[in-house]
Amino acid sequence: FHGFVEAEPWLSFGGPYRNPEDMAAIYREVHFSWAIDFFEQGLNSEWLLPNRLYEGCRFGAVPISMGNTETGRFLDRQGIGVLLPQATPEALEAALGDMEEHHFGTLRARVHARNPRTWSHDRGDCRALVEKLRGLACVPDPYAAEALA
């Protein structure tokens, strides 16, 4: 791993970090966040919203995604990010290669303009979710009686 990173001129490894304590400092150093997932391409990767999407946007990084995934559709609804037709060097070059500082500033301002609660939740939100789940657990299954008959 370390040899691979050292051989790449535009890649660095800063070592372990604490989440959430170190996240603001980490994201302050980047312009964009890669919100494309290839782990289960064609399956889960098509409909997930990766954690790095929330982390990056919370701290103002402009997300990059593919337009034909749920992440891309989410970003489109939010009016933020850079959407690629495919995850290729050519598509990335076309989207970012001639980008001027003013255009990047507009993209970043759109991320900052989103409601911060889009990216993180507080204790009250967690309690509300638990209550919602508790209520769902108490709802009788309308098909249970049929299964016993």
Side-chain angles (χ1 to χ4, degrees):
F1 171 79
H2 293 288
F4 175 80
V5 171
E6 289 171 11
E8 295 297 324
W10 304 107
L11 187 63
S12 64
F13 176 66
Y17 63 92
R18 296 168 302 147
N19 189 348
E21 295 87 355
D22 298 335
M23 300 309 286
I26 290 169
Y27 279 102
R28 212 176 7 252
E29 299 294 320
V30 301
H31 293 85
F32 298 94
S33 64
W34 187 257
I36 299 175
D37 184 274
F38 294 112
F39 182 67
E40 293 182 315
Q41 194 170 3
L43 301 169
N44 191 46
S45 296
E46 304 303 315
W47 58 267
L48 61 74
L49 297 179
N51 286 342
R52 62 191 170 274
L53 170 69
Y54 298 99
E55 291 173 351
C57 289
R58 180 177 179 207
F59 297 105
V62 176
I64 298 172
S65 186
M66 293 190 310
N68 63 345
T69 64
E70 188 56 32
T71 303
R73 289 185 287 276
F74 172 81
L75 293 174
D76 187 52
R77 287 190 303 274
Q78 295 292 319
I80 62 173
V82 174
L83 300 179
L84 305 176
Q86 53 193 340
T88 63
E90 296 78 19
L92 195 58
E93 167 96 23
L96 304 180
D98 293 329
M99 185 176 292
E100 296 178 1
E101 186 175 340
H102 174 74
H103 182 59
F104 171 74
T106 300
L107 292 173
R108 179 163 267 179
R110 287 181 186 161
V111 173
H112 281 296
R114 303 275 41 95
N115 183 336
R117 293 183 62 123
T118 303
W119 316 121
S120 60
H121 303 287
D122 62 19
R123 188 175 297 274
D125 294 320
C126 294
R127 285 189 175 122
L129 175 62
V130 168
E131 289 304 313
K132 176 76 170 175
L133 294 174
R134 182 177 289 133
L136 293 174
C138 297
V139 174
D141 183 351
Y143 300 105
E146 291 176 14
L148 296 174

